[in-house]
Amino acid sequence: MRGAAPVNAPGARRRVAVLGATGAVGQAFVRLLAGHPWFELAELAASGRSAGRAYLEATRWIGDAPPAEVAGMTVLPADPEAVSADILFSALDASVAGEIEIAFASAGRMVLSNARNHRLDDDVPLVIPEVNPDHLALLDVQRERRGWPAGGGIVTNANCAAIVAVMALAPLHQRFGLRQLFIATMQAVSGAGYPGVASLDILGNVIPFIDGEEPKIERETAKLLGTLDGGRVVPAPIGISVHANRVPVEHGHTICISVGLERRASAADALDALREWRGAEAARGLPSAPSLPLRVSDEPDRPQPRRDVWSEGGMQVVIGRVRNDPVLDLRLVAMGHNVVRGAAGASVLNAELLMAHHAQRLARP
Ligand code: NAP
């Protein structure tokens, strides 16, 4: 059963393109956009290594069979001269995403990005539709400050672990206020792209280091839970400490969180807040939105990536082990699909939010 009536298509399907279509996140975009009710997957782009080749020949396809409609497509260079769509999903490697995304936005195109490059720019919205859809108002500041033509802009989604953690934390922040967070992640290998971490490094092992990950999770969590004020986001004033670990799991980041609150709450109060949370109204009924953003499990040994990662197509975050904490106030475990909810699905949901509520910010079809 869905949690909200579906939002109707806002007009004809829009032509969209995927930048970085050959990589791990790019492939997830291709799967999610094939047959999408609002978007038509019209173009695929990647590096000069892949451009000019048939998509399936240039791509080391991971997982189930690829959608039939991509078979005959030729990979284009990731260049606004070569790609004509006005809405771009970016799964570009961070070494090149910064410049390429700016080139598209300054040509009047809307970029929905997974890359880290612009997430913390003052005028770039970092959005989870259920949590902070109002931050999309930064697009006006962005366009004015950068002098981009109508339709041009960059909207980002957060780091995959930050998205899963913030989905679990938003209801607690809204009801009790967050003061301190201690976060330890167990992150799946698919979060490192393809071919990612060498098998001899990760099989039967845990690597207690992911380059740049801990400060990203700390800063992005504060921005996502921050408040829009006078054309900027004031980060939420929360003390945050993160330990990031890579573990031999295929998909699904598991995150153990201890929480210090502004207003006292028991584990039972927290469970009520998590179970009752529906997320922001603006996100309800969007085609990729899960019926409920969170599923709270009562079982003592859940969530587990193997059993829970595909909950609602990978778009739902699963929470468990909500209990009192003897040092801070509460502790819990959150788990979500890093490539779907934490990457491609997050961008598709952001694009649906734009289409449904901010169509005037997109170039005309
Ligand atoms: P990946 O598998 O390494 O794929 C990188 C993509 O970037 C490929 O399509 C590659 O094309 C393209 N690329 C590389 N150099 C390029 C260039 N000079 N010009 C144009 N395209 C170029 O990486 P991924 O895991 O999919 O991650 C993609 C982005 O999403 C990264 O910024 C990453 O940090 C972010 N992200 C990933 C996850 C996750 O769970 N994996 C989660 C959140 C965010 P070729 O095949 O032609 O080289």
Side-chain angles (χ1 to χ4, degrees):
M1 191 184 77
R2 296 193 67 82
V7 176
N8 289 328
R13 284 168 90 209
R14 297 284 298 244
R15 292 177 78 253
V16 301
V18 177
L19 308 176
T22 51
V25 175
Q27 293 179 35
F29 272 125
V30 167
R31 254 195 307 263
L32 294 173
L33 290 167
H36 191 284
W38 295 4
F39 303 120
E40 177 202 341
L41 180 55
E43 294 164 309
L44 303 171
S47 78
R49 294 179 288 278
S50 308
R53 300 170 68 194
Y55 176 65
L56 292 179
E57 195 190 292
T59 304
R60 171 101 183 176
W61 187 265
I62 313 165
D64 299 344
E69 51 263 63
V70 295
M73 292 171 79
T74 301
V75 179
L76 302 171
D79 173 342
E81 298 286 314
V83 176
S84 63
D86 289 325
I87 300 176
L88 293 312
F89 292 97
S90 168
L92 291 165
D93 189 85
S95 62
V96 294
E99 274 183 36
I100 295 177
E101 291 173 359
I102 295 275
F104 276 93
S106 57
R109 323 282 186 83
M110 185 60 69
V111 181
L112 287 302
S113 174
N114 273 275
R116 65 168 182 264
N117 307 62
H118 298 295
R119 287 179 190 152
L120 295 176
D121 293 3
D122 271 0
D123 57 355
V124 172
L126 179 72
V127 176
I128 301 175
E130 293 94 332
V131 175
N132 62 337
D134 55 315
H135 290 199
L136 280 180
L138 283 183
L139 280 173
D140 293 337
V141 179
Q142 188 185 105
R143 195 169 310 138
E144 195 172 317
R145 191 181 289 174
R146 303 200 191 212
W148 289 341
I154 299 177
V155 174
T156 56
N157 49 256
N159 166 280
C160 37
I163 293 178
V164 175
V166 167
M167 294 276 293
L169 291 167
L172 302 178
H173 189 49
Q174 287 163 9
R175 197 168 290 190
F176 311 113
L178 298 179
R179 186 172 45 83
Q180 286 177 310
L181 295 172
F182 175 85
I183 296 176
T185 72
M186 288 164 273
Q187 300 185 215
V189 286
S190 59
Y194 187 85
V197 192
S199 55
L200 285 179
D201 285 336
I202 194 67
L203 281 176
N205 200 15
V206 171
I207 301 174
F209 175 70
I210 304 175
D211 196 14
E213 197 78 351
E214 291 167 355
K216 262 191 276 178
I217 299 170
E218 290 163 3
R219 291 188 198 129
E220 292 175 22
T221 296
K223 182 170 177 179
L224 286 163
L225 293 173
T227 345
L228 194 64
D229 183 17
R232 61 183 284 266
V233 173
V234 180
I238 306 168
I240 309 176
S241 166
V242 175
H243 294 242
N245 304 287
R246 185 76 68 196
V247 296
V249 164
E250 184 185 7
H251 299 305
H253 289 353
T254 303
I255 308 186
C256 297
I257 311 175
S258 290
V259 183
L261 300 170
E262 293 290 349
R263 293 179 287 286
R264 283 191 75 79
S266 64
D269 297 331
L271 276 164
D272 286 346
L274 292 162
R275 286 213 168 91
E276 287 163 17
W277 194 64
R278 298 289 175 270
E281 178 105 38
R284 296 183 204 161
L286 296 175
S288 302
S291 60
L292 288 174
L294 304 177
R295 173 162 64 83
V296 181
S297 172
D298 288 323
E299 295 182 55
D301 59 353
R302 303 286 274 276
Q304 296 177 16
R306 181 174 295 161
R307 295 185 164 82
D308 299 308
V309 76
W310 287 109
S311 191
E312 297 233 8
M315 287 300 284
Q316 189 172 54
V317 168
V318 185
I319 313 275
R321 307 213 64 221
V322 180
R323 59 216 195 277
N324 294 325
D325 183 84
V327 177
L328 296 177
D329 293 301
L330 298 169
R331 47 196 160 152
L332 54 89
V333 181
M335 195 281 306
H337 199 307
N338 50 295
V339 185
V340 181
R341 175 44 95 162
S347 279
V348 173
L349 196 57
N350 280 345
E352 292 168 359
L353 180 71
L354 270 174
M355 286 274 280
H357 301 289
H358 301 265
Q360 80 285 1
R361 292 191 162 99
L362 297 167
R364 267 194 294 275

